[in-house]
Amino acid sequence: ARCTSSLRRIVVVSSDAVLSAPMLGASPADDSRNAPPAASTYAISKIALESVVSRWANLHARLPEPQIVRFSDVYGPLDRPTGARNRHNAPFWALAARRSAKALNIAAGSLNDLCWDLVDAASVARGVVAILFSPKTPRRRVYEFALGRTISFAELLSAAFGTDEVEQLISSGKVKLLSDLEAAKLKGRVQLHALPPGHWLYSAPFQVSEAEIELGWQPTDFKTAMREYDEWLDAEERSLAKAKSKECTEANTGDSRAGDALEHAACDK
């Protein structure tokens, strides 16, 4: 980057994990150097990333001031079951429950409990592109791309199942609300957890207004984004089924050819 004279902008992809601390204090979006103590090694790595890149830019005057972008929980295309991915977001689990016979286990007191701030991947991508190609130098050091509000389980299930009668999902057994004790017994079989009391997200939601005002950026509304994700999952399932069918056909054809060759060899003898 130092050797590129035409470099106009540096965008550092960070995470909302830097906010995962018991004491939020002053909003780190104002100045990430005052980010709170991290609660995980992943968060520590992101805080270190922000600091190192900023320090590097300070040491080398030719480098533009970096813009740091933080996202809330991102969902959407490419979030699907793979052998390498062991974590999924709430929208994935809700849509997966609609597709399967298994119940969705939620550790919460009611469906009105809050889940998280959820933003779709396409909106995040638009935000990053807006910073990269903004005709003016971005004014802020840190931008947050998020929905800007916290989704309740009722809103999540309504968008996933296409119904406003979400309480019926509990009576039908499709969704199970679990107490802390019940959730502890099930251990890894609980897909979703409500925000704990006192969580910083209650009092300090993600700040998206600056991105809206300065970059003209807005997230896609939740229901629309969920519908688009659902459609992508449908297309992905059809694509995988088609690919699997093709593999089986080719395998059967190969077996048939191998059998014909053996038969011909036997006749030649």
Side-chain angles (χ1 to χ4, degrees):
R2 283 197 300 141
C3 299
T4 307
S5 59
S6 60
L7 184 65
R8 295 178 54 246
R9 202 146 296 158
I10 297 175
V11 176
V12 181
V13 178
S14 187
S15 167
D16 63 345
V18 301
L19 308 178
S20 59
M23 295 180 296
L24 182 62
S27 172
D30 296 333
D31 187 343
S32 67
R33 289 172 297 181
N34 295 327
S40 69
T41 53
Y42 177 74
I44 291 172
S45 72
K46 288 298 185 180
I47 290 176
L49 168 68
E50 294 181 7
S51 300
V52 167
V53 174
S54 297
R55 178 58 177 160
W56 193 256
N58 290 336
L59 289 174
H60 302 282
R62 290 180 59 183
L63 291 178
E65 179 70 17
Q67 269 69 52
I68 296 169
V69 294
R70 298 173 183 159
F71 320 129
S72 60
D73 217 7
V74 183
Y75 67 93
L78 297 185
D79 185 5
R80 81 282 195 205
T82 68
R85 186 171 178 83
N86 60 5
R87 180 190 181 278
H88 295 287
N89 296 323
F92 170 85
W93 288 117
L95 291 170
R98 200 200 71 204
R99 286 174 160 79
S100 71
K102 296 181 179 179
L104 177 65
N105 293 323
I106 303 176
S110 78
L111 292 181
N112 291 323
D113 285 356
L114 298 181
C115 175
W116 195 259
D117 183 311
L118 304 167
V119 65
D120 64 292
S123 291
V124 168
R126 283 192 288 103
V128 173
V129 169
I131 291 178
L132 285 172
F133 294 98
S134 174
K136 297 180 180 180
T137 301
R139 295 178 303 180
R140 291 178 63 84
R141 189 164 176 268
V142 178
Y143 290 86
E144 294 180 348
F145 295 119
L147 193 61
R149 62 186 181 87
T150 308
I151 296 294
S152 69
F153 290 113
E155 185 175 359
L156 171 68
L157 295 174
S158 176
F161 285 83
T163 177
D164 291 329
E165 304 298 327
V166 290
E167 293 293 341
Q168 293 182 1
L169 298 174
I170 296 177
S171 58
S172 67
K174 193 64 179 175
V175 173
K176 293 183 179 179
L177 289 181
L178 306 173
S179 65
D180 291 341
L181 181 60
E182 292 170 327
K185 290 179 180 179
L186 288 178
K187 294 183 179 179
R189 288 176 289 169
V190 180
Q191 290 86 13
L192 303 177
H193 296 262
L195 282 182
H199 192 281
W200 58 264
L201 198 52
Y202 286 113
S203 57
F206 288 93
Q207 300 299 313
V208 298
S209 58
E210 290 295 333
E212 293 176 349
I213 295 170
E214 184 180 343
L215 304 172
W217 176 88
Q218 284 189 334
T220 302
D221 73 89
F222 185 65
K223 278 194 173 182
T224 300
M226 282 287 286
R227 184 181 68 249
E228 292 173 351
Y229 180 31
D230 192 22
E231 291 170 353
W232 182 87
L233 287 172
D234 283 339
E236 180 74 0
E237 287 181 358
R238 290 194 299 269
S239 177
L240 290 174
K242 185 178 180 180
K244 186 174 182 180
S245 176
K246 183 179 179 181
E247 289 177 2
C248 291
T249 301
E250 290 175 349
N252 291 335
T253 302
D255 291 343
S256 177
R257 289 174 179 171
D260 290 344
L262 288 173
E263 184 176 345
H264 288 311
C267 290
D268 291 341
K269 289 181 180 179

